[in-house]
Amino acid sequence: LFAVAHGTAETVTPVQKVVQLLEGMLAKGNEEKHAEQVQFAAYKQFCDDTCVEKKRAIAEAAEKIGMLNADIAKYTSDAQQLTTEIAGHDQDISVWTGDKKAATSVREIEKADYDALHQDYSESVDAIQRAVAVLKKQSHDRKQASLVQVSSLTQLSLIPESARRAIDALLQQSQSPEGLEVSAPEAYGYEFQSQGVIEMLEK
């Protein structure tokens, strides 16, 4: 039986060999096909996942682009408004600078006028105080020469008109013929009557 079986195994026909070869190729093809199917399924899953991710990223980017475009439009509008406001502020600053220069010039002129007027008033007040002091110290009959300081008061701008008239009357009385008698050198040129003048000067 062994010999018969062995003989049978050795007598494989070419057709059988072709069939065996084809069956092997089929098995190998099926195996490779399965491997490719598995690989394709994995790659397809990767592509599907990537596609979903990319679509989500594209949607987010589109939304962000829309927000950025809105921000750009808003900032452009704000920039235009701020440019207009800056131009207005620049114009205001220019006007205020001119006003400041003009006001400074006016203040300088007013200060110069005030300083001059203050000096005039100070000198006048000082002269009045000295004249009042002279009149108070000489509240008695005196010679004409002692009225020189009093006569200078009529030149001061601060002296009231009523005081000027009183001083002029005082000086005229001091220069009357009765006060200038050459034959009486000891006679007084004026008897003290200046209390009213003192009161007017001290007001």
Side-chain angles (χ1 to χ4, degrees):
L1 291 175
F2 178 74
V4 173
H6 183 69
T8 302
E10 289 181 352
T11 58
V12 177
T13 64
V15 174
Q16 290 177 337
K17 289 184 178 180
V18 171
V19 170
Q20 291 177 354
L21 180 62
L22 291 175
E23 288 177 349
M25 292 176 61
L26 178 62
K28 184 177 180 182
N30 289 332
E31 183 180 355
E32 291 179 352
K33 177 183 177 183
H34 178 71
E36 288 182 357
Q37 286 177 338
V38 172
Q39 185 178 4
F40 176 79
Y43 182 73
K44 184 176 184 298
Q45 184 63 40
F46 168 77
C47 290
D48 291 342
D49 294 342
T50 302
C51 183
V52 171
E53 179 65 21
K54 296 303 179 183
K55 287 181 179 180
R56 184 185 64 80
I58 290 171
E60 291 179 353
E63 182 180 0
K64 190 172 183 180
I65 288 172
M67 294 175 61
L68 291 175
N69 286 332
D71 290 341
I72 290 171
K74 178 180 181 300
Y75 296 148
T76 301
S77 176
D78 291 344
Q80 292 175 349
Q81 180 179 356
L82 292 174
T83 300
T84 303
E85 292 179 359
I86 289 171
H89 294 329
D90 288 339
Q91 184 176 2
D92 290 340
I93 290 172
S94 178
V95 172
W96 294 337
T97 301
D99 292 344
K100 179 183 176 182
K101 290 181 180 179
T104 301
S105 178
V106 171
R107 295 297 181 271
E108 290 175 352
I109 294 173
E110 290 177 347
K111 184 179 183 302
D113 293 342
Y114 169 79
D115 290 341
L117 185 61
H118 181 269
Q119 183 178 1
D120 183 38
Y121 282 0
S122 298
E123 292 174 354
S124 298
V125 169
D126 182 63
I128 291 172
Q129 290 175 345
R130 285 188 280 108
V132 170
V134 169
L135 291 176
K136 285 183 176 180
K137 286 197 304 182
Q138 299 182 8
S139 58
H140 55 274
D141 297 339
R142 56 195 178 279
K143 297 180 180 181
Q144 296 173 1
S146 62
L147 298 177
V148 175
Q149 287 183 306
V150 178
S151 65
S152 64
L153 294 177
T154 59
Q155 306 300 321
L156 300 179
S157 60
L158 292 180
I159 300 299
E161 186 61 30
S162 58
R164 289 178 195 236
R165 290 196 297 268
I167 293 172
D168 289 338
L170 176 65
L171 294 175
Q172 288 175 3
Q173 290 178 10
S174 68
Q175 294 173 1
S176 63
E178 291 81 0
L180 296 176
E181 288 292 338
V182 179
S183 60
E186 296 298 328
Y188 296 107
Y190 171 70
E191 292 182 357
F192 185 75
Q193 298 177 355
S194 305
Q195 187 60 39
V197 176
I198 294 175
E199 292 176 357
M200 283 188 292
L201 293 177
E202 288 181 334
K203 288 182 180 180

